[in-house]
Amino acid sequence: MSTDKAVNGQPKYINPYLGGVLLGLLILATVFVTGRGIGASGAIKSAVVTTSNTVAPSATQSNAYMGKFVSDDHSPMYTWLVFESLGVLLGGLLSGLIFGRVGKFRTDNGPQITSKKRWILAIIGGALFGLGSQFGRGCTSGAALSGTATFALGGVIVMFGIFGTGYIIAYFFRKLWI
Amino acid sequence: MNRNYIFLTILMLVLAGGTLFLSMNDEPDQIDPKVLLEEMIQPTRYVSTDQVAKMLIQGDPSLMLIDVRSEDDYSYYTLPGAVNIPLDSLLVNGNLSYLGMPGTKVVFVSNDDIKADQMWVLTKRLGYNSTYVLKGGINCWMQTIIEPQRPSDDAPAVDFETYTFRKGAQMYFTGAGSGESEATKVDVEVRRREKSNVAAGGC
Amino acid sequence: MGPLIPNGIIGEGWDFVIAILIGIAFGFILEASGFSSSRNLAGVFYGYNFVVLRVFFTALIVAMVGLMYFDYFGWLDLSKIFILPTYLGPMIVGGIIMGFGFIIGGYCPGTSFTGIAIGKLDALFFTVGLYLGIMGFSLAFPLFEGFYNSGSMGNITLTELTGIPAPYFAMAFTVVALAAFWGTMFIEKRVRKNMKQYKF
């Protein structure tokens, strides 16, 4: 089924609480150095603005939303979150190499659905997440985690929004996962 | 494994609980620079000599006058009922206990506005509210209350009202005696949010 | 002292170097904790794997409590850090939409990047979806521009909203999180007993 190397049937993941403490300390360090938390969805937004600006510059600049992120002196890709997300890719690769999880292309899917169906659902889910992250001013890492850690009201709202909805609708989507 | 988790749980609870006690003996709350600036550029901290005179005549118990000049100046002349706290001795001898009493308005008095203003900023930084500055200080007090100038004949009616009040107040403060009936004729409301009071003419 | 960059202790030029380093650490922690697998992530909603809850809430309470101590020791000026602005209506709606996205797509943006890094195709498709979603939002922006900007409450914190000092919130979150850790440990054991086919 899976190409992940496993020890006694369990994959080699670090203890979740250790991961949590490290992540918490990372947020602390990030706030200490940069004055703001971590994020992820902002990088995709930069990518959207960049491609749109390359394909149709005038339409992009006149777009009320994307126009805000276009500037003359540098590419929209030249932002903090893009570099950070690049780092996330590298860090994920590094961890995957160390723990032996980097492999050929494969798909995680629940036992009751096919890989192809999983891909379509992933695209739909991603599109929803992308849409929601614009309304929520950030995703799980940017708004829910970093926001709540700095006691921002918005972070708490997004956190309860994501996880609350997840638990309410989980039953209806159980065939996807179990 | 479970024992470690119990230990970690207790550790986290102690760390989180510790913040409750740490923050309690935190520094005294300083006023946000932005708020301070906003309050400084607004003239709401000023009270006019007329307002103070009115409150003194009425015997308003919520008024607390603090003379921030030196002891010599204070013993030479001061406003009735004023307490002497020179600017440089604000923090000694429990002088701060005069401030921050609920329901009292503290008004700082100096020869002009300057020292009183400095005192006001210091007390604001210390986090005290309801402190005010006597606009124009003792000099203005002299000009407006002790020796009021009669307005020219073509001046608006409010100036004459102010003048009548000041005349009354002059008699009250210089001991002429019969001023009280006149003083009550003019109703000068003490409104601290008002930028320019009706009776604020003069300095 | 801190935050270092807004206070000019570290120059602006280091900004992007630091961004990459922070990203590497973030990606490493996510992948090493098992966030690169959508089945691990979705498990939190079905009770067979609470790794998301454990990592997320441990990070949250560590960061919250840590911030309090940083503030107390004067290392960090809390008035200078970025507080996420609150838009009440859009954030509730956004959170709900993201909840659907999470269940259907199985990832969130940060974790999908680490999924791609180790060769997960569903993570790649999720990222494509993210791109399409944000593109769609941008193109259709005039339609909901009014709603997008509605309900603005400014950069408000829980303390400013309720008047309760921040340490009490840190304490409350800590107690709830720790209770959840213990509770889910038993739930997970129970659910996994009935689930033979689950492999990571």
Side-chain angles (χ1 to χ4, degrees), chain A residues 14 32-33 35 51 63 95 101 106 118 137 151 154 167 170 177, chain C residues 3-5 31 39 44 46 82 86 103 105 118 121 131 138 148 158:
Chain A
I14 60 172
F32 179 64
V33 175
T51 42
N63 181 298
S95 162
R101 274 192 290 272
R106 61 201 187 275
R118 172 81 186 92
R137 270 73 175 175
F151 301 95
Y167 276 106
W177 300 107
Chain C
L4 298 181
I5 289 177
E31 210 290 326
R39 293 210 67 203
V44 72
Y46 298 98
F82 170 76
T86 299
I103 287 276
I118 63 161
L121 276 176
Y131 182 90
S138 307
Y148 177 79
L158 292 172

PDB file of all heavy atoms in Angstrom, chain A residues 14 32-33 35 51 63 95 101 106 118 137 151 154 167 170 177, chain C residues 3-5 31 39 44 46 82 86 103 105 118 121 131 138 148 158:
ATOM      1  N   ILE A  14       8.119  11.860  14.556  1.00  0.00           N
ATOM      2  CA  ILE A  14       8.546  12.283  15.887  1.00  0.00           C
ATOM      3  C   ILE A  14       7.320  12.372  16.783  1.00  0.00           C
ATOM      4  O   ILE A  14       6.185  12.446  16.317  1.00  0.00           O
ATOM      5  CB  ILE A  14       9.290  13.647  15.858  1.00  0.00           C
ATOM      6  CG1 ILE A  14       8.397  14.757  15.302  1.00  0.00           C
ATOM      7  CG2 ILE A  14      10.576  13.546  15.066  1.00  0.00           C
ATOM      8  CD1 ILE A  14       8.988  16.123  15.424  1.00  0.00           C
ATOM      9  N   PHE A  32       9.526  36.885  17.607  1.00  0.00           N
ATOM     10  CA  PHE A  32      10.625  37.628  18.227  1.00  0.00           C
ATOM     11  C   PHE A  32      11.487  38.324  17.177  1.00  0.00           C
ATOM     12  O   PHE A  32      11.907  39.459  17.348  1.00  0.00           O
ATOM     13  CB  PHE A  32      11.487  36.668  19.049  1.00  0.00           C
ATOM     14  CG  PHE A  32      12.669  37.325  19.708  1.00  0.00           C
ATOM     15  CD1 PHE A  32      12.481  38.302  20.680  1.00  0.00           C
ATOM     16  CD2 PHE A  32      13.958  36.975  19.372  1.00  0.00           C
ATOM     17  CE1 PHE A  32      13.562  38.910  21.281  1.00  0.00           C
ATOM     18  CE2 PHE A  32      15.041  37.583  19.979  1.00  0.00           C
ATOM     19  CZ  PHE A  32      14.845  38.554  20.941  1.00  0.00           C
ATOM     20  N   VAL A  33      11.729  37.629  16.061  1.00  0.00           N
ATOM     21  CA  VAL A  33      12.619  38.199  15.043  1.00  0.00           C
ATOM     22  C   VAL A  33      11.854  39.148  14.120  1.00  0.00           C
ATOM     23  O   VAL A  33      12.293  40.272  13.865  1.00  0.00           O
ATOM     24  CB  VAL A  33      13.311  37.079  14.239  1.00  0.00           C
ATOM     25  CG1 VAL A  33      14.128  37.679  13.110  1.00  0.00           C
ATOM     26  CG2 VAL A  33      14.204  36.259  15.139  1.00  0.00           C
ATOM     27  N   GLY A  35       8.351  39.997  14.220  1.00  0.00           N
ATOM     28  CA  GLY A  35       7.195  40.729  14.703  1.00  0.00           C
ATOM     29  C   GLY A  35       5.875  40.185  14.187  1.00  0.00           C
ATOM     30  O   GLY A  35       4.831  40.740  14.452  1.00  0.00           O
ATOM     31  N   THR A  51       1.393  35.230 -12.091  1.00  0.00           N
ATOM     32  CA  THR A  51       1.007  34.684 -13.399  1.00  0.00           C
ATOM     33  C   THR A  51      -0.001  35.594 -14.078  1.00  0.00           C
ATOM     34  O   THR A  51       0.106  35.876 -15.264  1.00  0.00           O
ATOM     35  CB  THR A  51       0.396  33.280 -13.263  1.00  0.00           C
ATOM     36  OG1 THR A  51      -0.474  33.280 -12.145  1.00  0.00           O
ATOM     37  CG2 THR A  51       1.459  32.227 -13.102  1.00  0.00           C
ATOM     38  N   ASN A  63      -7.653  45.098 -11.583  1.00  0.00           N
ATOM     39  CA  ASN A  63      -8.432  44.255 -10.674  1.00  0.00           C
ATOM     40  C   ASN A  63      -8.335  44.821  -9.259  1.00  0.00           C
ATOM     41  O   ASN A  63      -7.242  45.077  -8.747  1.00  0.00           O
ATOM     42  CB  ASN A  63      -7.887  42.814 -10.720  1.00  0.00           C
ATOM     43  CG  ASN A  63      -8.671  41.876  -9.818  1.00  0.00           C
ATOM     44  OD1 ASN A  63      -8.701  42.058  -8.608  1.00  0.00           O
ATOM     45  ND2 ASN A  63      -9.296  40.886 -10.408  1.00  0.00           N
ATOM     46  N   SER A  95      13.376  16.738   5.937  1.00  0.00           N
ATOM     47  CA  SER A  95      12.824  15.787   6.900  1.00  0.00           C
ATOM     48  C   SER A  95      12.499  14.461   6.222  1.00  0.00           C
ATOM     49  O   SER A  95      12.786  13.387   6.771  1.00  0.00           O
ATOM     50  CB  SER A  95      11.573  16.381   7.539  1.00  0.00           C
ATOM     51  OG  SER A  95      10.800  15.369   8.130  1.00  0.00           O
ATOM     52  N   ARG A 101      11.272   9.135   3.859  1.00  0.00           N
ATOM     53  CA  ARG A 101       9.906   9.141   3.340  1.00  0.00           C
ATOM     54  C   ARG A 101       9.818   9.701   1.925  1.00  0.00           C
ATOM     55  O   ARG A 101       8.738   9.726   1.355  1.00  0.00           O
ATOM     56  CB  ARG A 101       9.004   9.978   4.254  1.00  0.00           C
ATOM     57  CG  ARG A 101       8.449   9.184   5.417  1.00  0.00           C
ATOM     58  CD  ARG A 101       7.368   9.931   6.117  1.00  0.00           C
ATOM     59  NE  ARG A 101       7.865  11.087   6.842  1.00  0.00           N
ATOM     60  CZ  ARG A 101       8.299  11.054   8.094  1.00  0.00           C
ATOM     61  NH1 ARG A 101       8.313   9.922   8.757  1.00  0.00           N
ATOM     62  NH2 ARG A 101       8.734  12.144   8.692  1.00  0.00           N
ATOM     63  N   ARG A 106       3.109   9.311  -5.369  1.00  0.00           N
ATOM     64  CA  ARG A 106       2.094   8.395  -4.835  1.00  0.00           C
ATOM     65  C   ARG A 106       0.956   9.211  -4.237  1.00  0.00           C
ATOM     66  O   ARG A 106       1.057  10.433  -4.078  1.00  0.00           O
ATOM     67  CB  ARG A 106       2.710   7.478  -3.778  1.00  0.00           C
ATOM     68  CG  ARG A 106       3.279   8.253  -2.594  1.00  0.00           C
ATOM     69  CD  ARG A 106       4.299   7.397  -1.864  1.00  0.00           C
ATOM     70  NE  ARG A 106       4.745   8.036  -0.633  1.00  0.00           N
ATOM     71  CZ  ARG A 106       5.718   8.936  -0.580  1.00  0.00           C
ATOM     72  NH1 ARG A 106       6.327   9.317  -1.675  1.00  0.00           N
ATOM     73  NH2 ARG A 106       6.068   9.457   0.572  1.00  0.00           N
ATOM     74  N   ARG A 118      -9.597  10.752  -5.572  1.00  0.00           N
ATOM     75  CA  ARG A 118      -8.898  11.533  -4.540  1.00  0.00           C
ATOM     76  C   ARG A 118      -8.284  12.804  -5.136  1.00  0.00           C
ATOM     77  O   ARG A 118      -8.296  13.858  -4.511  1.00  0.00           O
ATOM     78  CB  ARG A 118      -7.817  10.656  -3.908  1.00  0.00           C
ATOM     79  CG  ARG A 118      -6.884  11.358  -2.970  1.00  0.00           C
ATOM     80  CD  ARG A 118      -7.474  11.533  -1.582  1.00  0.00           C
ATOM     81  NE  ARG A 118      -6.586  12.353  -0.752  1.00  0.00           N
ATOM     82  CZ  ARG A 118      -6.672  13.667  -0.629  1.00  0.00           C
ATOM     83  NH1 ARG A 118      -7.620  14.322  -1.234  1.00  0.00           N
ATOM     84  NH2 ARG A 118      -5.835  14.349   0.122  1.00  0.00           N
ATOM     85  N   ARG A 137      -8.479  35.909   5.785  1.00  0.00           N
ATOM     86  CA  ARG A 137      -7.207  36.633   5.931  1.00  0.00           C
ATOM     87  C   ARG A 137      -6.080  35.713   6.367  1.00  0.00           C
ATOM     88  O   ARG A 137      -5.181  36.110   7.117  1.00  0.00           O
ATOM     89  CB  ARG A 137      -7.329  37.773   6.944  1.00  0.00           C
ATOM     90  CG  ARG A 137      -7.739  39.090   6.348  1.00  0.00           C
ATOM     91  CD  ARG A 137      -9.179  39.089   5.962  1.00  0.00           C
ATOM     92  NE  ARG A 137      -9.630  40.391   5.478  1.00  0.00           N
ATOM     93  CZ  ARG A 137     -10.842  40.624   4.993  1.00  0.00           C
ATOM     94  NH1 ARG A 137     -11.721  39.664   4.918  1.00  0.00           N
ATOM     95  NH2 ARG A 137     -11.179  41.801   4.556  1.00  0.00           N
ATOM     96  N   PHE A 151      -3.125  36.082  20.448  1.00  0.00           N
ATOM     97  CA  PHE A 151      -4.379  36.472  21.100  1.00  0.00           C
ATOM     98  C   PHE A 151      -5.265  37.340  20.213  1.00  0.00           C
ATOM     99  O   PHE A 151      -6.083  38.108  20.716  1.00  0.00           O
ATOM    100  CB  PHE A 151      -4.111  37.211  22.425  1.00  0.00           C
ATOM    101  CG  PHE A 151      -3.337  36.401  23.412  1.00  0.00           C
ATOM    102  CD1 PHE A 151      -1.955  36.532  23.503  1.00  0.00           C
ATOM    103  CD2 PHE A 151      -3.970  35.499  24.230  1.00  0.00           C
ATOM    104  CE1 PHE A 151      -1.239  35.772  24.403  1.00  0.00           C
ATOM    105  CE2 PHE A 151      -3.259  34.738  25.140  1.00  0.00           C
ATOM    106  CZ  PHE A 151      -1.894  34.877  25.223  1.00  0.00           C
ATOM    107  N   GLY A 154      -9.468  37.515  15.516  1.00  0.00           N
ATOM    108  CA  GLY A 154      -9.684  36.907  14.208  1.00  0.00           C
ATOM    109  C   GLY A 154      -9.114  35.498  14.131  1.00  0.00           C
ATOM    110  O   GLY A 154      -9.717  34.611  13.525  1.00  0.00           O
ATOM    111  N   TYR A 167     -15.575  19.130  12.205  1.00  0.00           N
ATOM    112  CA  TYR A 167     -16.220  18.103  13.014  1.00  0.00           C
ATOM    113  C   TYR A 167     -17.696  17.949  12.657  1.00  0.00           C
ATOM    114  O   TYR A 167     -18.243  16.842  12.674  1.00  0.00           O
ATOM    115  CB  TYR A 167     -16.060  18.418  14.504  1.00  0.00           C
ATOM    116  CG  TYR A 167     -14.737  17.931  15.027  1.00  0.00           C
ATOM    117  CD1 TYR A 167     -13.700  18.793  15.314  1.00  0.00           C
ATOM    118  CD2 TYR A 167     -14.514  16.555  15.192  1.00  0.00           C
ATOM    119  CE1 TYR A 167     -12.482  18.335  15.760  1.00  0.00           C
ATOM    120  CE2 TYR A 167     -13.305  16.078  15.630  1.00  0.00           C
ATOM    121  CZ  TYR A 167     -12.292  16.970  15.912  1.00  0.00           C
ATOM    122  OH  TYR A 167     -11.086  16.495  16.344  1.00  0.00           O
ATOM    123  N   ALA A 170     -17.806  16.133   9.203  1.00  0.00           N
ATOM    124  CA  ALA A 170     -16.959  14.946   9.021  1.00  0.00           C
ATOM    125  C   ALA A 170     -17.787  13.705   8.704  1.00  0.00           C
ATOM    126  O   ALA A 170     -17.424  12.896   7.840  1.00  0.00           O
ATOM    127  CB  ALA A 170     -16.120  14.715  10.272  1.00  0.00           C
ATOM    128  N   TRP A 177     -12.474   8.891   3.818  1.00  0.00           N
ATOM    129  CA  TRP A 177     -11.293   8.695   4.671  1.00  0.00           C
ATOM    130  C   TRP A 177     -11.287   7.369   5.411  1.00  0.00           C
ATOM    131  O   TRP A 177     -10.219   6.840   5.690  1.00  0.00           O
ATOM    132  CB  TRP A 177     -11.188   9.848   5.676  1.00  0.00           C
ATOM    133  CG  TRP A 177     -11.048  11.162   4.988  1.00  0.00           C
ATOM    134  CD1 TRP A 177     -11.979  12.137   4.880  1.00  0.00           C
ATOM    135  CD2 TRP A 177      -9.920  11.627   4.249  1.00  0.00           C
ATOM    136  NE1 TRP A 177     -11.510  13.172   4.136  1.00  0.00           N
ATOM    137  CE2 TRP A 177     -10.246  12.892   3.742  1.00  0.00           C
ATOM    138  CE3 TRP A 177      -8.653  11.094   3.974  1.00  0.00           C
ATOM    139  CZ2 TRP A 177      -9.361  13.628   2.964  1.00  0.00           C
ATOM    140  CZ3 TRP A 177      -7.773  11.843   3.213  1.00  0.00           C
ATOM    141  CH2 TRP A 177      -8.132  13.077   2.713  1.00  0.00           C
TER     142      TRP A 177
ATOM    143  N   PRO C   3      10.399  42.911  18.872  1.00  0.00           N
ATOM    144  CA  PRO C   3      10.827  42.135  17.704  1.00  0.00           C
ATOM    145  C   PRO C   3      12.025  42.757  16.988  1.00  0.00           C
ATOM    146  O   PRO C   3      12.108  43.974  16.880  1.00  0.00           O
ATOM    147  CB  PRO C   3       9.590  42.146  16.806  1.00  0.00           C
ATOM    148  CG  PRO C   3       8.794  43.317  17.248  1.00  0.00           C
ATOM    149  CD  PRO C   3       9.090  43.513  18.694  1.00  0.00           C
ATOM    150  N   LEU C   4      12.939  41.909  16.535  1.00  0.00           N
ATOM    151  CA  LEU C   4      14.242  42.406  16.097  1.00  0.00           C
ATOM    152  C   LEU C   4      14.167  43.215  14.808  1.00  0.00           C
ATOM    153  O   LEU C   4      14.771  44.278  14.714  1.00  0.00           O
ATOM    154  CB  LEU C   4      15.211  41.229  15.907  1.00  0.00           C
ATOM    155  CG  LEU C   4      15.512  40.409  17.167  1.00  0.00           C
ATOM    156  CD1 LEU C   4      16.493  39.307  16.860  1.00  0.00           C
ATOM    157  CD2 LEU C   4      16.071  41.290  18.269  1.00  0.00           C
ATOM    158  N   ILE C   5      13.442  42.714  13.800  1.00  0.00           N
ATOM    159  CA  ILE C   5      13.448  43.434  12.518  1.00  0.00           C
ATOM    160  C   ILE C   5      12.673  44.754  12.600  1.00  0.00           C
ATOM    161  O   ILE C   5      13.201  45.792  12.205  1.00  0.00           O
ATOM    162  CB  ILE C   5      12.933  42.519  11.380  1.00  0.00           C
ATOM    163  CG1 ILE C   5      13.986  41.447  11.085  1.00  0.00           C
ATOM    164  CG2 ILE C   5      12.660  43.331  10.114  1.00  0.00           C
ATOM    165  CD1 ILE C   5      13.584  40.431  10.049  1.00  0.00           C
ATOM    166  N   GLU C  31       6.643  18.055   8.471  1.00  0.00           N
ATOM    167  CA  GLU C  31       6.857  16.746   7.840  1.00  0.00           C
ATOM    168  C   GLU C  31       7.217  15.708   8.888  1.00  0.00           C
ATOM    169  O   GLU C  31       6.678  14.602   8.901  1.00  0.00           O
ATOM    170  CB  GLU C  31       7.953  16.859   6.773  1.00  0.00           C
ATOM    171  CG  GLU C  31       7.803  15.900   5.612  1.00  0.00           C
ATOM    172  CD  GLU C  31       8.061  14.475   5.992  1.00  0.00           C
ATOM    173  OE1 GLU C  31       8.924  14.200   6.866  1.00  0.00           O
ATOM    174  OE2 GLU C  31       7.404  13.589   5.410  1.00  0.00           O
ATOM    175  N   ARG C  39      -4.013  11.478   5.148  1.00  0.00           N
ATOM    176  CA  ARG C  39      -4.789  10.563   6.001  1.00  0.00           C
ATOM    177  C   ARG C  39      -4.493  10.829   7.470  1.00  0.00           C
ATOM    178  O   ARG C  39      -5.372  10.702   8.316  1.00  0.00           O
ATOM    179  CB  ARG C  39      -4.475   9.117   5.632  1.00  0.00           C
ATOM    180  CG  ARG C  39      -4.976   8.763   4.244  1.00  0.00           C
ATOM    181  CD  ARG C  39      -5.335   7.302   4.130  1.00  0.00           C
ATOM    182  NE  ARG C  39      -6.482   6.967   4.956  1.00  0.00           N
ATOM    183  CZ  ARG C  39      -6.733   5.737   5.394  1.00  0.00           C
ATOM    184  NH1 ARG C  39      -5.908   4.753   5.100  1.00  0.00           N
ATOM    185  NH2 ARG C  39      -7.790   5.503   6.126  1.00  0.00           N
ATOM    186  N   VAL C  44      -7.948  13.445  12.497  1.00  0.00           N
ATOM    187  CA  VAL C  44      -8.388  14.204  13.663  1.00  0.00           C
ATOM    188  C   VAL C  44      -9.907  14.328  13.688  1.00  0.00           C
ATOM    189  O   VAL C  44     -10.524  14.429  14.752  1.00  0.00           O
ATOM    190  CB  VAL C  44      -7.708  15.587  13.689  1.00  0.00           C
ATOM    191  CG1 VAL C  44      -8.260  16.508  12.620  1.00  0.00           C
ATOM    192  CG2 VAL C  44      -7.870  16.240  15.053  1.00  0.00           C
ATOM    193  N   TYR C  46     -11.973  11.971  12.531  1.00  0.00           N
ATOM    194  CA  TYR C  46     -12.608  10.660  12.648  1.00  0.00           C
ATOM    195  C   TYR C  46     -12.108   9.879  13.851  1.00  0.00           C
ATOM    196  O   TYR C  46     -12.510   8.754  14.067  1.00  0.00           O
ATOM    197  CB  TYR C  46     -12.390   9.868  11.348  1.00  0.00           C
ATOM    198  CG  TYR C  46     -13.032  10.573  10.173  1.00  0.00           C
ATOM    199  CD1 TYR C  46     -12.278  11.372   9.326  1.00  0.00           C
ATOM    200  CD2 TYR C  46     -14.402  10.480   9.955  1.00  0.00           C
ATOM    201  CE1 TYR C  46     -12.870  12.050   8.288  1.00  0.00           C
ATOM    202  CE2 TYR C  46     -14.996  11.156   8.919  1.00  0.00           C
ATOM    203  CZ  TYR C  46     -14.234  11.944   8.081  1.00  0.00           C
ATOM    204  OH  TYR C  46     -14.824  12.625   7.068  1.00  0.00           O
ATOM    205  N   PHE C  82       2.561  42.087  15.068  1.00  0.00           N
ATOM    206  CA  PHE C  82       1.420  42.172  14.159  1.00  0.00           C
ATOM    207  C   PHE C  82       0.241  41.412  14.750  1.00  0.00           C
ATOM    208  O   PHE C  82       0.366  40.249  15.132  1.00  0.00           O
ATOM    209  CB  PHE C  82       1.817  41.566  12.815  1.00  0.00           C
ATOM    210  CG  PHE C  82       0.664  41.382  11.866  1.00  0.00           C
ATOM    211  CD1 PHE C  82       0.124  42.465  11.204  1.00  0.00           C
ATOM    212  CD2 PHE C  82       0.136  40.127  11.636  1.00  0.00           C
ATOM    213  CE1 PHE C  82      -0.924  42.298  10.331  1.00  0.00           C
ATOM    214  CE2 PHE C  82      -0.911  39.953  10.763  1.00  0.00           C
ATOM    215  CZ  PHE C  82      -1.442  41.037  10.110  1.00  0.00           C
ATOM    216  N   THR C  86      -9.400  41.760  12.469  1.00  0.00           N
ATOM    217  CA  THR C  86     -10.596  40.929  12.547  1.00  0.00           C
ATOM    218  C   THR C  86     -11.696  41.493  11.646  1.00  0.00           C
ATOM    219  O   THR C  86     -12.004  42.675  11.723  1.00  0.00           O
ATOM    220  CB  THR C  86     -11.105  40.865  13.993  1.00  0.00           C
ATOM    221  OG1 THR C  86     -10.096  40.281  14.795  1.00  0.00           O
ATOM    222  CG2 THR C  86     -12.375  40.042  14.086  1.00  0.00           C
ATOM    223  N   ILE C 103     -11.763  18.982   4.963  1.00  0.00           N
ATOM    224  CA  ILE C 103     -12.327  17.630   4.945  1.00  0.00           C
ATOM    225  C   ILE C 103     -12.257  17.039   3.533  1.00  0.00           C
ATOM    226  O   ILE C 103     -11.892  15.878   3.336  1.00  0.00           O
ATOM    227  CB  ILE C 103     -13.805  17.661   5.410  1.00  0.00           C
ATOM    228  CG1 ILE C 103     -13.879  17.900   6.906  1.00  0.00           C
ATOM    229  CG2 ILE C 103     -14.517  16.378   5.023  1.00  0.00           C
ATOM    230  CD1 ILE C 103     -13.732  16.676   7.753  1.00  0.00           C
ATOM    231  N   GLY C 105     -10.396  18.169   0.845  1.00  0.00           N
ATOM    232  CA  GLY C 105      -9.072  18.145   0.250  1.00  0.00           C
ATOM    233  C   GLY C 105      -8.027  17.417   1.073  1.00  0.00           C
ATOM    234  O   GLY C 105      -7.044  16.927   0.538  1.00  0.00           O
ATOM    235  N   ILE C 118       7.734  15.422  -0.482  1.00  0.00           N
ATOM    236  CA  ILE C 118       8.092  14.008  -0.404  1.00  0.00           C
ATOM    237  C   ILE C 118       7.333  13.189  -1.446  1.00  0.00           C
ATOM    238  O   ILE C 118       7.308  11.961  -1.385  1.00  0.00           O
ATOM    239  CB  ILE C 118       7.876  13.422   1.012  1.00  0.00           C
ATOM    240  CG1 ILE C 118       6.402  13.474   1.410  1.00  0.00           C
ATOM    241  CG2 ILE C 118       8.741  14.142   2.022  1.00  0.00           C
ATOM    242  CD1 ILE C 118       6.075  12.523   2.534  1.00  0.00           C
ATOM    243  N   LEU C 121       1.109  13.004  -4.644  1.00  0.00           N
ATOM    244  CA  LEU C 121       0.393  13.610  -5.771  1.00  0.00           C
ATOM    245  C   LEU C 121      -0.854  14.361  -5.314  1.00  0.00           C
ATOM    246  O   LEU C 121      -1.201  15.401  -5.874  1.00  0.00           O
ATOM    247  CB  LEU C 121      -0.004  12.529  -6.772  1.00  0.00           C
ATOM    248  CG  LEU C 121       1.080  12.140  -7.777  1.00  0.00           C
ATOM    249  CD1 LEU C 121       0.595  11.007  -8.645  1.00  0.00           C
ATOM    250  CD2 LEU C 121       1.480  13.333  -8.632  1.00  0.00           C
ATOM    251  N   TYR C 131      -4.464  27.265  -5.913  1.00  0.00           N
ATOM    252  CA  TYR C 131      -4.170  28.278  -6.926  1.00  0.00           C
ATOM    253  C   TYR C 131      -5.443  28.681  -7.658  1.00  0.00           C
ATOM    254  O   TYR C 131      -5.740  29.868  -7.805  1.00  0.00           O
ATOM    255  CB  TYR C 131      -3.130  27.710  -7.897  1.00  0.00           C
ATOM    256  CG  TYR C 131      -2.700  28.671  -8.963  1.00  0.00           C
ATOM    257  CD1 TYR C 131      -1.626  29.510  -8.764  1.00  0.00           C
ATOM    258  CD2 TYR C 131      -3.366  28.730 -10.186  1.00  0.00           C
ATOM    259  CE1 TYR C 131      -1.224  30.396  -9.727  1.00  0.00           C
ATOM    260  CE2 TYR C 131      -2.978  29.615 -11.164  1.00  0.00           C
ATOM    261  CZ  TYR C 131      -1.912  30.445 -10.930  1.00  0.00           C
ATOM    262  OH  TYR C 131      -1.519  31.326 -11.883  1.00  0.00           O
ATOM    263  N   SER C 138      -9.958  36.161  -6.908  1.00  0.00           N
ATOM    264  CA  SER C 138      -9.473  37.450  -7.401  1.00  0.00           C
ATOM    265  C   SER C 138     -10.302  37.928  -8.580  1.00  0.00           C
ATOM    266  O   SER C 138     -10.633  39.116  -8.681  1.00  0.00           O
ATOM    267  CB  SER C 138      -8.015  37.332  -7.834  1.00  0.00           C
ATOM    268  OG  SER C 138      -7.250  36.789  -6.795  1.00  0.00           O
ATOM    269  N   TYR C 148     -16.390  41.276   1.645  1.00  0.00           N
ATOM    270  CA  TYR C 148     -14.995  41.043   2.033  1.00  0.00           C
ATOM    271  C   TYR C 148     -14.528  42.071   3.051  1.00  0.00           C
ATOM    272  O   TYR C 148     -13.783  41.762   3.969  1.00  0.00           O
ATOM    273  CB  TYR C 148     -14.107  41.089   0.779  1.00  0.00           C
ATOM    274  CG  TYR C 148     -12.638  40.930   1.039  1.00  0.00           C
ATOM    275  CD1 TYR C 148     -12.082  39.669   1.271  1.00  0.00           C
ATOM    276  CD2 TYR C 148     -11.782  42.025   1.029  1.00  0.00           C
ATOM    277  CE1 TYR C 148     -10.736  39.517   1.503  1.00  0.00           C
ATOM    278  CE2 TYR C 148     -10.423  41.874   1.256  1.00  0.00           C
ATOM    279  CZ  TYR C 148      -9.906  40.626   1.497  1.00  0.00           C
ATOM    280  OH  TYR C 148      -8.570  40.476   1.722  1.00  0.00           O
ATOM    281  N   LEU C 158      -8.100  39.433  22.070  1.00  0.00           N
ATOM    282  CA  LEU C 158      -9.101  38.946  23.020  1.00  0.00           C
ATOM    283  C   LEU C 158      -9.139  39.838  24.256  1.00  0.00           C
ATOM    284  O   LEU C 158     -10.199  40.106  24.813  1.00  0.00           O
ATOM    285  CB  LEU C 158      -8.771  37.511  23.424  1.00  0.00           C
ATOM    286  CG  LEU C 158      -8.922  36.455  22.337  1.00  0.00           C
ATOM    287  CD1 LEU C 158      -8.381  35.130  22.817  1.00  0.00           C
ATOM    288  CD2 LEU C 158     -10.387  36.309  21.956  1.00  0.00           C
TER     289      LEU C 158
END
